């Protein structure tokens, strides 16, 4: 069985977007810099996972992520701001969108978005079934925080960008998350970010 994996790029001060993120600015003001490690400047500059990574080290990390991903669980906000730039699913796998707003499946060239209104845990359950032996990747701070609090997360892959963005969507710090112990499993330095990997070891209620 694969892991439930949070793989996300964060500023050193803990933000996954800059301020004022929205459909016109998916990563917020100054937030594109976060993803510099996984893209090269080009005509479709932005959140484009299909572009080549910025260095060989980054390309290897990105390749591993794509190889491990068997399904995605994302929050509705990640879907709403991402679907334009992606013009497809973010990974070529089934994607489950946690939302209060029911919607028909959306079939894209590389996979299908399924909208789940029964909560995050149910979406993770469905994604696990779809992923088989591969991993379930989470997208969105809200969804990630819910999974952390519920003890659903197995691994944390943080790509820490050398910037203090000051404001935006915070990855951690949700009240009620409790005390979570992590085991560091690897550190990979690239010219653009520090790739940190952790395994979730124990979780005590607050
Ligand atoms: N830096 C990175 O690597 C990275 C990666 C991914 C995303 N991002 C950015 O992160 C931002 C999105 O993250 P976010 O934390 O703001 O939001 P999110 O987790 O993507 O989505 C939150 C939304 O999901 C729905 N939702 C959440 N829990 C639910 C539940 N239990 N039941 C039903 N619906 C539920 C709600 O939408 P509704 O009520 O409207 O349905 C909620 O507003 C975007 O700007 C994206 O670009 C950055």
């Amino acid at each position: 069985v694969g892991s439930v994996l949070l793989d996300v790029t964060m500023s050193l001060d803990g933000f996954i977007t800059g301020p004022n993120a929205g459909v016109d600015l998916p990563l917020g003001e100054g937030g594109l810099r976060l993803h510099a490690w996984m893209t090269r400047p080009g005509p479709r500059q932005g959140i484009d996972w299909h572009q080549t990574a910025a260095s060989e080290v980054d390309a290897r990390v990105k390749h591993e992520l794509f190889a491990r991903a068997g399904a995605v669980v994302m929050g509705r906000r990640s879907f709403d701001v991402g679907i334009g730039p992606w013009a497809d699913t973010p990974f070529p796998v089934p994607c489950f969108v946690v939302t209060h707003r029911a919607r028909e499946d959306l079939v894209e060239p590389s996979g299908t978005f399924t909208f789940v209104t029964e909560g995050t845990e149910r979406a993770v359950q469905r994604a696990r079934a779809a992923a088989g032996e591969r991993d379930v990747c989470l997208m969105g701070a809200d969804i990630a925080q819910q999974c952390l609090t519920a003890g659903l997360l197995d691994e944390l892959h943080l790509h820490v960008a050398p910037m203090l963005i000051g404001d935006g969507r915070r990855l951690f710090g949700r009240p009620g998350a409790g005390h979570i112990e992590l085991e560091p499993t690897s550190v990979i330095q690239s010219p653009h970010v520090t790739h940190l990997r952790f395994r979730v070891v124990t979780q005590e209620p607050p």
Side-chain angles (χ1 to χ4, degrees):
V1 181
S3 295
V4 176
L5 170 68
L6 172 62
D7 187 295
V8 67
T9 307
M10 186 183 88
S11 62
L12 185 60
D13 53 349
F15 295 97
I16 65 162
T17 71
N20 301 316
V23 172
D24 295 331
L25 209 55
L27 287 175
E29 290 161 23
L32 266 185
R33 164 71 186 83
L34 288 168
H35 279 180
W37 71 274
M38 58 168 72
T39 59
R40 276 186 188 157
R44 291 187 67 209
Q45 192 173 9
I47 309 177
D48 188 341
W49 297 68
H50 304 286
Q51 283 181 1
T52 317
S55 76
E56 255 179 53
V57 176
D58 296 310
R60 213 164 49 236
V61 171
K62 188 173 162 183
H63 176 79
E64 272 178 41
L65 172 61
F66 271 77
R68 289 184 57 167
V72 172
V73 172
M74 68 175 73
R76 181 64 185 257
R77 218 159 16 232
S78 292
F79 169 81
D80 284 342
V81 305
I83 185 65
W86 296 324
D88 198 347
T89 51
F91 296 85
V93 298
C95 293
F96 296 86
V97 183
V98 186
T99 183
H100 296 102
R101 296 173 278 144
R103 189 182 151 161
E104 289 292 301
D105 283 6
L106 176 64
V107 181
E108 292 290 340
S110 311
T112 297
F113 289 101
T114 300
F115 298 84
V116 179
T117 53
E118 297 89 18
T120 302
E121 207 156 335
R122 178 68 186 132
V124 170
Q125 219 173 44
R126 292 184 67 178
R128 268 190 183 286
E133 291 184 352
R134 293 167 79 187
D135 293 341
V136 171
C137 297
L138 306 178
M139 294 182 84
D142 188 3
I143 291 308
Q145 289 171 353
Q146 289 179 46
C147 288
L148 255 179
T149 308
L152 294 173
L153 196 66
D154 300 309
E155 283 184 63
L156 195 50
H157 292 189
L158 292 180
H159 316 284
V160 180
M163 63 193 283
L164 301 171
I165 206 164
D167 196 5
R169 197 78 180 105
R170 230 178 235 296
L171 183 56
F172 300 117
R174 177 189 169 102
H179 178 140
I180 295 163
E181 282 290 325
L182 305 171
E183 176 197 351
T185 52
S186 85
V187 180
I188 302 169
Q189 185 63 55
S190 96
H192 305 277
V193 287
T194 308
H195 303 284
L196 302 175
R197 292 181 181 172
F198 302 91
R199 192 171 67 81
V200 178
V201 183
T202 57
Q203 186 167 2
E204 291 165 22

